[in-house]
Amino acid sequence: MRDPRSGRRYPLDPLRWRGDDGTPLLVSPAHAPEPAGIVTADRSLWRYRAALPPLPPVSLGEGCTPLLTRTWSGVEVGFKLEWFNPSGSFKDRGSSVMISALAAQGVDQVLEDSSGNGGSSVAAYCAAAGVGATVLVPAHTSPAKTLQTTAYGARVTPVDGDRDATAAAALRRAERTVYASHNWHPYFLEGTKTLAYEIWEDLGFRAPDAVVTVAGAGSIVLGCDLGFTELLAAGRIAALPRLLVAQPANCAPLHAAFHAGSGSGVHAGSPAGSPVEQGAPATLASGPWRPTLAEGTAIKEPVRLPEVLAAIRRSGGTTAAVPEEDIASAQRRLAATGLYAEPTSATAAAAVDHFAARGELPPGGTTVVVLTGSALKAPTATAQIIEGAP
């Protein structure tokens, strides 16, 4: 494992979730397989096992999600329907690899913190592996998500305050237990990188020109960066796709940081004085941030902010902040075409309008839009949007 900030390296160890100085880690890059190296008989992300750590898989059939070609506001896009994953969101990609790694080490209890989808996903894979799970959630988390987490047998502990307060509570407990954090654990990103491999396979073993995604902590952004970079290094694709990243305007620290200009600063998830990417802003947000319909993105201080910024810039991509009314409109428009996406997912669709208006999606390009989770996960917010529509 490696620390992308200091360059320090550590032996592969699934029990290690951060560096000695408190910074997040990545697994060293793998060699991307040729198309013939894909285990096509395996209908899960483990078909790309040649690019994954060698582990006995804990799998529920995650991955292999549909890519539907549609026209959205005059732009031809491919909607990648990640709610077809077993627990209903893209988080299953990361959970499968992370829990496989921890179960292989004999771990029998883990701690996770989540605004909903990550917790229910980790709980599902812990159930499949016979591992106990405690999931800390913000007290206002969607009841549908906490019900799902509880149904898998996990112990759900509500925390007063917002998503960042929940993460802080988990960090305090992490000193005493195995921390299976979908935001911190490097093996989780090994799972999310399979989204890039799958898009490559979906498109006949080529990269799209752009990937549009919503981001909270940025695990899809980093997963796409890792996967497409591995494919580029192996000569499987000609260029990285541009990463076009959306956040709700009500809580958009990544967007604020990306457009803040040059400078350097200390990341809130790092020890005081530790360096971050050159060009990152001294402050993470222009806040104060407000609640958003896209609850899955409501993270004020992303742990891997410098790495997410670097991934977007490396791809030649950019960001957009999407107003709440555009998120609501996009959810209704998606539903009108048969796609029942939660507000967090709808943020990515809404961003297509913004990026197209800015000339970021030229005609004739191949654009993939990642729809991260089902509206069944967010019935309260969805009812507010659908039933409250004029």
Side-chain angles (χ1 to χ4, degrees):
M1 292 191 283
R2 59 189 174 90
D3 180 344
R5 302 181 191 179
S6 69
R8 186 171 180 178
R9 304 178 78 84
Y10 299 88
L12 277 176
D13 178 4
L15 299 180
R16 175 181 282 280
W17 54 273
R18 65 179 175 182
D20 289 344
D21 58 358
T23 52
L25 302 175
L26 298 171
V27 175
S28 296
H31 183 74
E34 297 180 6
I38 298 172
V39 185
T40 54
D42 193 338
R43 294 289 299 172
S44 80
L45 64 78
W46 293 93
R47 67 201 286 113
Y48 311 113
R49 65 185 63 219
L52 295 171
L55 296 166
V58 177
S59 178
L60 293 169
E62 59 292 322
C64 298
T65 60
L67 181 67
L68 299 183
T69 301
R70 294 289 186 271
T71 298
W72 181 267
S73 297
V75 179
E76 185 174 292
V77 302
F79 283 125
K80 187 67 170 164
L81 307 185
E82 285 293 281
W83 63 69
F84 276 83
N85 280 295
S87 81
S89 86
F90 82 95
K91 297 284 178 59
D92 290 347
R93 294 180 183 272
S95 295
S96 179
V97 177
M98 178 177 67
I99 299 303
S100 293
L102 293 174
Q105 293 291 308
V107 170
D108 60 6
Q109 291 286 333
V110 302
L111 173 71
E112 156 75 324
D113 60 288
S114 169
S115 61
N117 283 337
S120 55
S121 177
V122 168
Y125 284 84
C126 283
V131 173
T134 297
V135 181
L136 275 57
V137 301
H140 59 76
T141 297
S142 167
K145 294 177 181 177
T146 56
L147 174 61
Q148 183 182 17
T149 304
T150 302
Y152 291 131
R155 179 180 178 182
V156 176
T157 303
V159 175
D160 290 335
D162 59 12
R163 179 66 183 88
D164 294 286
T166 305
L171 284 171
R172 291 191 293 271
R173 294 195 186 193
E175 302 300 326
R176 307 186 301 274
T177 188
V178 175
Y179 190 29
S181 168
H182 66 279
N183 289 333
W184 278 94
H185 204 291
Y187 277 74
F188 191 90
L189 292 177
E190 287 295 286
T192 59
K193 80 179 184 185
T194 63
L195 180 59
Y197 280 90
E198 195 167 305
I199 291 170
W200 169 64
E201 185 178 2
D202 287 339
L203 295 176
F205 304 107
R206 62 184 180 87
D209 296 295
V211 175
V212 180
T213 182
V214 67
S219 56
I220 287 181
V221 177
L222 292 173
C224 284
D225 178 59
L226 290 171
F228 284 119
T229 296
E230 289 176 358
L231 288 164
L232 181 65
R236 312 289 183 231
I237 59 176
L240 295 176
R242 301 182 67 219
L243 300 177
L244 304 180
V245 179
Q247 291 200 288
N250 278 11
C251 188
L254 292 170
H255 172 76
F258 186 83
H259 292 280
S262 62
S264 62
V266 177
H267 182 258
S270 306
S274 64
V276 298
E277 179 209 33
Q278 186 65 29
T283 58
L284 298 186
S286 62
W289 301 120
R290 302 183 301 279
T292 174
L293 292 165
E295 66 176 2
T297 66
I299 299 174
K300 298 174 187 175
E301 298 185 352
V303 168
R304 298 179 185 268
L305 181 140
E307 290 74 34
V308 176
L309 296 182
I312 297 169
R313 290 175 177 141
R314 186 161 44 245
S315 74
T318 188
T319 66
V322 182
E324 295 292 289
E325 57 269 24
D326 290 359
I327 296 171
S329 174
Q331 187 182 23
R332 290 191 291 266
R333 289 165 61 195
L334 286 167
T337 69
L339 299 177
Y340 198 49
E342 68 176 335
T344 298
S345 293
T347 307
V352 172
D353 297 346
H354 290 254
F355 290 127
R358 286 159 43 180
E360 304 287 356
L361 296 172
T366 302
T367 300
V368 171
V369 182
V370 183
L371 299 183
T372 52
S374 166
L376 294 173
K377 297 295 206 86
T380 302
T382 298
Q384 176 185 341
I385 291 168
I386 302 300
E387 296 174 3

